[in-house]
Amino acid sequence: MLHIALDSLCHIIDKAREFQAKEEVVIPDSPSSPTEDWALQILADHSEDYSLREMTQAIGEMSQRQRAELIAIMWIGRGDYSLDEWETAVDDAIGDYSLRAATYLLAHPMVSDDLEEGLLALGYSCQE
């Protein structure tokens, strides 16, 4: 079902958790205006962060399908889609979401937990 290696997914989850666990990383719940692109600002403010660089590099090396699956896993993990809607979620993630996957994922404060939940729903685990 997945086109992403489990070890790659677990690496991305670990790096997202490391990055977002740092005190200086503050992700607002919502932008103050519709034109404010605060997710890109977060990435720019922490461009020298090793965890962030590793995560964005790993995601950048993925194919568009793999990036779409990564986003779909997060959506399933947070309950936006059911497991039966897997292909629909992947299809919905292809395009702008998959092109800006790292930015989009890091804009969600619970991304590492949501990715883990999505993996569990799909029958995978980073604990294996």
Side-chain angles (χ1 to χ4, degrees), residues 31-64:
S32 60
S33 72
T35 59
E36 183 180 6
D37 197 348
W38 47 271
L40 286 176
Q41 181 181 357
I42 289 167
L43 292 178
D45 288 347
H46 300 282
S47 61
E48 298 301 316
D49 185 281
Y50 183 71
S51 298
L52 175 63
R53 262 191 315 203
E54 276 196 67
M55 181 183 164
T56 54
Q57 181 179 355
I59 293 171
E61 292 172 356
M62 293 179 164
S63 69
Q64 185 176 23

Side-chain angles (χ1 to χ4, degrees), residues 36-107:
E36 183 180 6
D37 197 348
W38 47 271
L40 286 176
Q41 181 181 357
I42 289 167
L43 292 178
D45 288 347
H46 300 282
S47 61
E48 298 301 316
D49 185 281
Y50 183 71
S51 298
L52 175 63
R53 262 191 315 203
E54 276 196 67
M55 181 183 164
T56 54
Q57 181 179 355
I59 293 171
E61 292 172 356
M62 293 179 164
S63 69
Q64 185 176 23
R65 168 70 190 206
Q66 290 170 322
R67 291 190 308 268
E69 285 184 0
L70 185 63
I71 292 165
I73 291 168
M74 183 192 73
W75 286 343
I76 287 175
R78 69 180 192 187
D80 295 338
Y81 291 83
S82 70
L83 190 54
D84 294 335
E85 298 172 303
W86 169 251
E87 285 301 326
T88 301
V90 172
D91 289 345
D92 289 350
I94 290 176
D96 191 45
Y97 289 115
S98 63
L99 293 175
R100 297 175 11 130
T103 305
Y104 178 73
L105 291 169
L106 284 171

